[in-house]
Amino acid sequence: MNRNSSEYRIEAKGKLQEIAYKVLATAKSPSGLVAELRKQVVEVEPVKNKQGKMYGVRFCYKGEIFKASEVGREFGLRSMFNHFGQTPEG
């Protein structure tokens, strides 16, 4: 990876974190959070195991892909649902 793409990724991650935390503060549910992130041009992709069970989330922003844990611990699957007082459906 060259230096510029690394700097671009760091910049994109910072902006994504800013957007994600702002949305998390006002969202009323996990689906509301995802819908609001999509309005901000952030794609949210479920990560599934071989059995098709969702175990995580990925964020795609400005051509970069970030695991939820890279964005912040609040965006891990369980943490996100706990924030809203829910449990993730398998």
Side-chain angles (χ1 to χ4, degrees), residues 7 26 33-35 40 43 66 81 83-85:
E7 287 174 10
T26 59
L33 175 73
V34 171
Q40 301 291 325
E43 270 309 305
F66 301 94
F81 276 88
H83 178 82
F84 297 106

Side-chain angles (χ1 to χ4, degrees), residues 3 18-19 33 40 43-44 53 75-76 81 87:
R3 190 164 172 250
E18 189 180 306
I19 291 167
L33 175 73
Q40 301 291 325
E43 270 309 305
V44 182
K53 184 174 180 184
F75 299 99
F81 276 88
T87 55

Side-chain angles (χ1 to χ4, degrees), residues 4-27:
N4 289 337
S5 68
S6 180
E7 287 174 10
Y8 178 80
R9 182 171 172 79
I10 291 166
E11 190 178 308
K13 179 180 171 183
K15 184 67 177 155
L16 171 59
Q17 287 173 320
E18 189 180 306
I19 291 167
Y21 278 105
K22 198 175 289 183
V23 170
L24 182 64
T26 59

Side-chain angles (χ1 to χ4, degrees), residues 22-67:
K22 198 175 289 183
V23 170
L24 182 64
T26 59
K28 306 277 189 259
S29 68
S31 58
L33 175 73
V34 171
E36 201 53 46
L37 286 170
R38 287 189 172 143
K39 286 182 191 172
Q40 301 291 325
V41 198
V42 177
E43 270 309 305
V44 182
E45 297 178 351
V47 181
K48 297 181 179 184
N49 64 17
K50 290 178 182 170
Q51 291 76 36
K53 184 174 180 184
M54 186 167 134
Y55 69 88
V57 181
R58 264 195 301 246
F59 296 99
C60 302
Y61 181 69
K62 292 193 171 190
E64 297 288 335
I65 298 171
F66 301 94
K67 293 188 303 185

